[in-house]
Amino acid sequence: MNAHTENDSSAGTDTGRRKLLKMTGTGAVALGLAMAAPGQAAAQPRLRLGDKWDKTFPRSDKVEHRKVSFRNRYGLRLAADLYQPKNAGGKLAAIAVSGPFGAVKEQSSGLYAQTMAEQGFVTLAFDPSYTGESGGEPRHVASPDINTEDFSAAVDFLGLQPNVDRKRIGVIGICGFSGMALTAASSDSRIRAVATASMYDMSRSMSRSHRDSYTLEQRRKVIDYLGEQRWKDAESGKYALGYHELPFDERGNIVKGTRILPETLPRDPDPVLASFFDYYRTKRGCHPRGINSTTAWTATTPMSFFSFPMAANLEMIAPRPVLLVAGEKAHSRYYSEDVYKAAQGAGELLIVSGADHVDLYDRLDKIPFDRLTAFFRQHLA
């Protein structure tokens, strides 16, 4: 194992996180910042493939881009962007990319995919099932099983491309989809190398809260709430929206709601709140199809994440390599550190000096693309 740390200071992130939960009324800040009206998730838009540039980042003149679609083993059609280096010959290594949790391929994952294509890889940024332009009803549902399968389906697609060497395919998971990427690799040995950025384990986050702060009593209250919400959904015939990580107020009651990110920042906002607002709710990263930018997950989404832990078989990844990239100041940093400890020799931990969680979404001066490139060139050689 190799750990690379430029500065090992993370003081104050836990205090800030707890303060932020109270300010916003949710513990889903890291991955589900959104604005939503109460009610049912919107119907799926019809998938229309075209070449219109609808990303939150500039188009590169070094790669070829086209929209594609493919099916996972549940029969759901996934929408994706395929990026290929221009004028590259022969069989190439390939990388599938997805995340953050509640984002779409036009945001961070597309930036990662396009940048890695500039480095000579065939890359695929995809919308997870039930989100973005991908299929699945009802909308705005997440599943530890189905979203893990999405990565393997992306490997299927890449391996069928005539210019891809199917023995040289890796994956990148960003934020909440890091857990799905690692879980996919633990059962799909076709994935030869895995990198994560700003990792979040969504099953741990939803079922235990930030830094495992839920008490046993609180966890029981959460599943009672989810059961009651299912009765309401069954009676109404609609799937209500809600927080996917549930906070508690000062009296020990669950805080409920469907609007996560405020319209405007409060005066002197918590730095974590400010960083997410700056990405998801401004021109920097806002996208109309992104759950985190415009809406919320279905309120009962946490149920399956309580039942099915992510990354439960990390030992199965070795000897295939894992690169875990986390910001020095990220409130989520401990997820990467814990996986690094559990990876049994297969893991490499890279702490980016001065970076917070959201910096690794799109800050080109913070994302270590040189290290990502070297990692995949070495392990997909």
Side-chain angles (χ1 to χ4, degrees):
M1 280 191 185
N2 297 311
H4 301 273
T5 308
E6 298 178 35
N7 188 323
D8 199 36
S9 171
S10 59
T13 56
D14 188 47
T15 300
R17 169 70 173 185
R18 292 177 184 274
K19 179 180 177 182
L20 178 58
L21 302 189
K22 296 177 182 178
M23 291 174 60
T24 62
T26 179
V29 174
L31 307 163
L33 292 180
M35 295 183 64
Q40 186 176 15
Q44 176 194 355
R46 183 177 180 182
L47 177 58
R48 295 172 180 167
L49 297 180
D51 199 40
K52 179 182 177 181
W53 191 255
D54 54 357
K55 322 305 179 195
T56 60
F57 50 90
R59 187 170 193 163
S60 171
D61 60 4
K62 299 178 182 179
V63 305
E64 296 177 352
H65 160 266
R66 64 186 172 97
K67 289 191 173 184
V68 298
S69 68
F70 55 94
R71 291 190 184 277
N72 65 18
R73 68 185 182 89
Y74 293 107
L76 297 170
R77 181 166 291 280
L78 275 63
D81 287 303
L82 183 68
Y83 298 89
Q84 303 186 71
K86 287 185 176 179
N87 304 316
K91 294 279 190 176
L92 303 178
I95 303 170
V97 191
S98 196
F101 191 77
V104 288
K105 62 188 182 302
E106 290 75 22
Q107 296 173 306
S108 181
S109 63
L111 174 64
Y112 272 70
Q114 178 176 259
T115 306
M116 295 305 290
E118 290 178 334
Q119 301 304 314
F121 301 93
V122 176
T123 62
L124 185 75
F126 64 88
D127 285 335
S129 296
Y130 305 103
T131 69
E133 292 182 306
S134 288
E137 295 286 349
R139 304 305 293 161
H140 307 162
V141 171
S143 162
D145 180 16
I146 295 174
N147 295 145
T148 294
E149 157 62 19
D150 291 342
F151 272 101
S152 288
V155 172
D156 293 341
F157 176 85
L158 286 171
L160 293 176
Q161 301 311 299
N163 62 336
V164 169
D165 182 348
R166 63 174 58 178
K167 294 182 179 180
R168 300 164 59 204
I169 300 176
V171 300
I172 297 175
I174 305 167
C175 192
F177 274 80
S178 294
M180 287 75 163
L182 289 167
T183 304
S186 70
S187 61
D188 189 344
S189 60
R190 300 175 305 164
I191 298 172
R192 303 293 184 168
V194 185
T196 68
S198 291
M199 182 194 173
Y200 233 81
D201 180 336
M202 294 313 303
S203 56
R204 184 176 174 185
S205 172
M206 291 189 205
S207 66
R208 298 182 183 275
S209 195
H210 185 250
R211 290 196 174 273
D212 307 328
S213 60
Y214 278 161
T215 64
L216 181 59
E217 179 185 5
Q218 287 175 322
R219 297 182 77 207
R220 286 173 173 154
K221 284 184 177 181
V222 171
I223 64 171
D224 286 345
Y225 156 77
L226 294 171
E228 287 301 314
Q229 185 60 53
R230 284 198 68 140
W231 282 127
K232 293 177 182 178
D233 289 352
E235 290 168 350
S236 68
K238 299 179 180 179
Y239 297 91
L241 303 177
Y243 301 150
H244 60 274
E245 184 180 302
L246 291 152
F248 287 81
D249 63 22
E250 299 293 343
R251 292 180 289 182
N253 299 315
I254 290 176
V255 179
K256 304 173 186 178
T258 59
R259 181 190 180 104
I260 301 175
L261 195 65
E263 282 275 11
T264 58
L265 285 175
R267 184 176 297 180
D268 299 322
D270 181 275
V272 179
L273 169 63
S275 68
F276 280 102
F277 188 97
D278 187 56
Y279 183 77
Y280 285 118
R281 291 296 300 161
T282 71
K283 290 182 179 180
R284 172 186 167 192
C286 184
H287 195 278
R289 287 193 294 272
I291 290 175
N292 295 352
S293 292
T294 60
T295 183
W297 295 96
T298 52
T300 54
T301 283
M303 294 194 79
S304 58
F305 288 88
F306 265 78
S307 300
F308 305 105
M310 308 294 302
N313 297 292
L314 285 174
E315 71 279 2
M316 297 300 294
I317 299 178
R320 289 168 292 146
V322 176
L323 174 62
L324 305 152
V325 183
E328 171 200 350
K329 298 180 180 179
H331 65 279
S332 58
R333 174 176 163 177
Y334 71 100
Y335 285 116
S336 295
E337 293 173 332
D338 287 354
V339 168
Y340 169 66
K341 294 172 186 176
Q344 298 188 5
E348 180 181 355
L349 177 64
L350 175 60
I351 304 298
V352 180
S353 179
D356 66 17
H357 180 92
V358 179
D359 284 336
L360 299 185
Y361 286 4
D362 69 334
R363 297 300 192 198
L364 296 179
D365 60 332
K366 297 290 187 182
I367 302 171
F369 279 118
D370 57 339
R371 296 295 301 277
L372 288 165
T373 299
F375 172 79
F376 283 110
R377 281 179 178 169
Q378 175 185 353
H379 298 293
L380 300 181

